């Protein structure tokens, strides 16, 4: 009936809305259900699993009784299931409007590729050019065509001498022809004279003594201006503002997470920060801050990839320790707020700090200088204890580390636990 058709169309519209919604929130929804399952709340996970079972039936991936939908909706649900199985990464990249930051990033990448290509072509061109010059027979152009070849008594043909030496004439060949002539007329006496003449040619150079460099001449002549160094001619690089650097860093990481190259990600970050130049600490701090705030809402896989890039940046001295310390301030201060929407934010940040401490990029006691709100209202001692567990068992018994945790304990913490060791043990139970 017409009413049945209309009802089916309404149902398919709802299923289509569900599919599009899940492409956006599916990843976050699964993370939250897993986090709640770990703390004993399994109702959400079970309901979500039942929902996916119905989707698989409608998509034709599972046998069972379920709503019948059109082929268009069925293929849409199959794409959704493939996206879910692929870690919520879309199979086909959708064309969307790009931000200015994304456009600038793409232009910069294309410029780097063009520079590499042009330098490679120039090198190949130079090699080919030198080979052509070395094998050139251009000297034939300089033969005097008015003179004809003549035969000597033995029947050999002699070619007339050239009026000028061609551009491609080899000095080695020129010297060889001279030595051949000299060889034909050589004698003990003439060779001795030749050696004396040879010494005479270089005698004026010996009399001049050691040559002075341009710098020495400039130093001895008061009227001569000092010659500027080549460094003075280097063009000044204009770096983006710290805020723009933070936004560009997020785009670099997103591209890297999808399947980018680690070397390219490290190079892009290095060019963004500009270590050793004015303002590099501020740019590096914003890069660290924005990057951490982004990965706190992602899966552990993305957190590990983030650490791969930034640990390498630190070890290759392309970002400063100060950038890490100051870049961690906001993530620590707003950690509980972020955890409301991303339940894995706290363990993610504890793991990041632990890896940076293990790699000797930062010191564990930097937590003592963290923002006051973090130390007084964000359970700083508990967070420190969690960091030590990520570092390893030896860290939970280290006197230096325990002293830091004890200093982070508030009066409320001390009322519940007599020592830092007791607080760590209570968190493990």
């Amino acid at each position: 009936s017409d009413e049945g058709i209309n009802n089916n169309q309404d149902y398919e519209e709802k299923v289509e809305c569900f599919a599009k919604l899940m492409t956006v929130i599916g990843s976050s929804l699964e993370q939250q259900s897993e986090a709640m399952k770990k703390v004993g709340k399994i109702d959400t996970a079970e309901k979500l699993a039942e929902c996916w079972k119905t989707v698989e039936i409608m998509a034709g991936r599972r046998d069972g009784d379920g709503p019948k939908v059109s082929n268009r909706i069925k293929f849409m649900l199959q794409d959704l299931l493939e996206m879910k199985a692929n870690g919520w990464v879309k199979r086909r990249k959708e064309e969307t409007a790009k931000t200015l930051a994304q456009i600038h990033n793409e232009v910069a990448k294309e410029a780097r590729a063009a520079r590499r290509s042009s330098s490679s072509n120039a090198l190949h061109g130079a090699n080919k050019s030198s080979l052509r010059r070395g094998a050139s027979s251009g000297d034939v152009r300089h033969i005097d065509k008015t003179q004809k070849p003549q035969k000597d008594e033995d029947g050999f043909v002699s070619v007339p001498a050239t009026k000028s030496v061609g551009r491609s004439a080899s000095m080695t060949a020129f010297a060889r022809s001279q030595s051949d002539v000299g060889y034909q007329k050589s004698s003990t006496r003439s060779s001795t004279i030749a050696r004396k003449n040879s010494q005479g040619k270089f005698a004026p150079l010996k009399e001049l003594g050691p040559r002075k460099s341009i710098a020495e001449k400039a130093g001895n002549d008061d009227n001569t201006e000092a010659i500027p160094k080549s460094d003075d001619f280097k063009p000044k690089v204009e770096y983006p503002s710290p805020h723009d650097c933070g936004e560009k860093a997020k785009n670099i990481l997103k591209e890297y997470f999808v399947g980018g190259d680690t070397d390219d990600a490290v190079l892009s970050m290095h060019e963004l920060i500009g270590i050793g130049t004015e303002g590099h600490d501020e740019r590096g701090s914003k890069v660290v801050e924005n990057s951490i705030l982004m990965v706190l809402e992602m899966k552990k896989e993305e957190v590990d990839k983030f650490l791969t890039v930034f640990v390498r940046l630190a070890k290759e001295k392309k970002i400063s320790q100060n950038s890490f310390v100051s870049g961690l301030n906001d993530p620590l201060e707003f950690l509980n707020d972020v955890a409301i929407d991303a339940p894995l934010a706290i363990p993610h940040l504890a793991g990041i700090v632990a890896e940076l401490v293990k790699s000797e990029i930062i010191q564990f006691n930097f937590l003592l200088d963290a923002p006051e709100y973090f130390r007084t209202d964000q359970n700083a001692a508990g967070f420190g204890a969690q960091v030590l567990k990520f570092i390893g068992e030896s860290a939970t018994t280290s006197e230096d580390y325990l002293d830091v945790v004890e200093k982070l304990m508030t009066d409320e913490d001390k009322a519940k636990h007599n020592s830092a060791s007791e607080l760590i043990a209570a968190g493990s139970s």
Side-chain angles (χ1 to χ4, degrees):
S1 65
D2 293 341
E3 184 178 352
I5 293 173
N6 290 334
N7 289 338
N8 190 49
Q9 288 177 346
D10 292 341
Y11 182 77
E12 287 198 351
E13 286 179 1
K14 292 177 182 179
V15 174
E16 185 175 355
C17 291
F18 163 81
K20 291 184 177 179
L21 179 64
M22 291 304 290
T23 60
V24 178
I25 68 168
S27 177
S28 300
L29 198 61
E30 282 204 330
Q31 289 183 32
Q32 290 182 11
S33 66
E34 285 296 322
M36 295 179 74
K37 189 176 180 180
K38 288 180 180 179
V39 296
K41 298 179 181 180
I42 61 173
D43 294 344
T44 304
E46 290 177 350
K47 289 179 181 178
L48 190 59
E50 190 66 29
C51 176
W52 286 119
K53 181 179 178 182
T54 304
V55 172
E56 289 173 358
I57 293 172
M58 287 192 289
R61 296 287 181 87
R62 180 194 288 264
D63 295 332
D65 296 330
K68 303 298 181 182
V69 293
S70 65
N71 286 337
R72 185 178 72 85
I73 298 298
K74 183 183 293 186
F75 295 145
M76 184 182 295
L77 294 176
Q78 288 176 1
D79 287 343
L80 178 65
L81 291 172
E82 287 181 10
M83 182 178 172
K84 175 177 176 287
N86 198 31
W88 296 102
V89 177
K90 293 184 179 179
R91 185 176 59 185
R92 294 180 295 273
K93 188 174 180 181
E94 293 183 357
E95 292 294 334
T96 57
K98 297 179 180 179
T99 63
L100 284 175
Q102 290 174 325
I103 294 173
H104 289 321
N105 187 40
E106 289 182 2
V107 170
K109 282 190 66 179
E110 290 174 1
R112 288 198 300 272
R115 285 198 299 271
R116 294 191 193 105
S117 176
S118 62
S119 61
S120 176
N121 292 338
L123 179 60
H124 291 310
N127 290 337
K128 290 179 181 178
S129 177
S130 62
L131 289 173
R132 286 196 299 270
R133 286 197 298 270
S136 172
S137 58
D139 293 345
V140 177
R141 295 193 301 266
H142 299 283
I143 296 176
D144 190 349
K145 296 182 180 178
T146 60
Q147 299 183 28
K148 296 182 179 180
Q150 299 176 354
K151 288 186 179 181
D152 60 12
E153 297 175 355
D154 297 325
F156 290 99
V157 178
S158 60
V159 179
T162 60
K163 290 185 177 181
S164 61
V165 178
R167 189 171 46 179
S168 62
S170 168
M171 292 304 295
T172 306
F174 185 69
R176 195 184 299 121
S177 65
Q178 285 186 338
S179 64
D180 291 343
V181 174
Y183 177 73
Q184 294 170 5
K185 301 178 180 180
S186 64
S187 67
T188 307
R189 182 178 177 184
S190 61
S191 63
T192 306
I193 295 172
R195 282 197 297 272
K196 289 182 180 179
N197 290 339
S198 174
Q199 291 175 357
K201 290 178 181 178
F202 295 97
L205 295 178
K206 293 181 180 179
E207 293 174 2
L208 290 174
R211 298 173 66 182
K212 293 184 179 181
S213 65
I214 297 175
E216 290 174 337
K217 291 179 179 179
N220 295 333
D221 190 351
D222 295 336
N223 297 325
T224 306
E225 295 183 1
I227 298 176
K229 298 180 180 178
S230 59
D231 293 345
D232 297 337
F233 296 103
K234 289 183 179 178
K236 185 178 180 181
V237 179
E238 293 292 337
Y239 290 96
S241 66
H243 176 270
D244 289 344
C245 286
E247 294 302 314
K248 288 176 182 291
K250 291 197 295 184
N251 292 333
I252 293 170
L253 286 179
K254 286 177 184 177
E255 182 179 341
Y256 172 60
F257 292 162
V258 175
D261 181 65
T262 305
D263 292 337
D264 191 38
V266 171
L267 175 62
S268 298
M269 291 290 187
H270 176 48
E271 292 176 347
L272 201 60
I273 296 168
I275 189 70
T277 59
E278 184 179 358
H280 70 93
D281 276 340
E282 292 77 8
R283 292 191 295 272
S285 172
K286 209 64 181 176
V287 165
V288 172
E289 176 188 310
N290 283 24
S291 300
I292 290 178
L293 287 173
M294 182 180 73
V295 299
L296 290 184
E297 300 182 10
M298 295 182 171
K299 296 180 180 179
K300 188 177 184 302
E301 180 184 356
E302 280 75 23
V303 175
D304 293 339
K305 288 182 177 180
F306 157 82
L307 285 169
T308 299
V309 172
F310 278 81
V311 168
R312 181 169 159 184
L313 280 170
K315 289 186 176 180
E316 293 179 5
K317 301 189 184 304
K318 294 175 179 176
I319 187 171
S320 67
Q321 183 187 51
N322 291 337
S323 294
F324 278 103
V325 173
S326 56
L328 281 163
N329 282 339
D330 276 9
L332 288 171
E333 186 168 4
F334 302 110
L335 182 58
N336 284 348
D337 295 333
V338 176
I340 294 173
D341 297 321
L344 298 177
I346 295 176
H348 279 349
L349 187 57
I352 290 171
V353 173
E355 186 61 34
L356 295 178
V357 172
K358 280 199 301 184
S359 302
E360 299 182 353
I361 296 170
I362 60 174
Q363 300 295 321
F364 180 64
N365 61 5
F366 91 97
L367 291 172
L368 298 176
D369 297 318
E372 184 179 358
Y373 182 72
F374 166 76
R375 290 183 282 112
T376 56
D377 295 85
Q378 299 273 39
N379 188 21
F383 177 81
Q386 198 167 355
V387 171
L388 295 184
K389 291 175 189 174
F390 275 109
I391 295 176
E393 187 176 348
S394 59
T396 60
T397 57
S398 168
E399 291 295 331
D400 292 336
Y401 289 161
L402 290 175
D403 182 58
V404 173
V405 174
E406 195 153 347
K407 290 178 180 178
L408 290 172
M409 292 174 65
T410 61
D411 293 337
E412 186 177 352
D413 292 329
K414 292 176 181 177
K416 295 178 181 178
H417 310 287
N418 294 325
S419 64
S421 300
E422 190 177 318
L423 183 146
I424 294 172
S428 302
S429 58

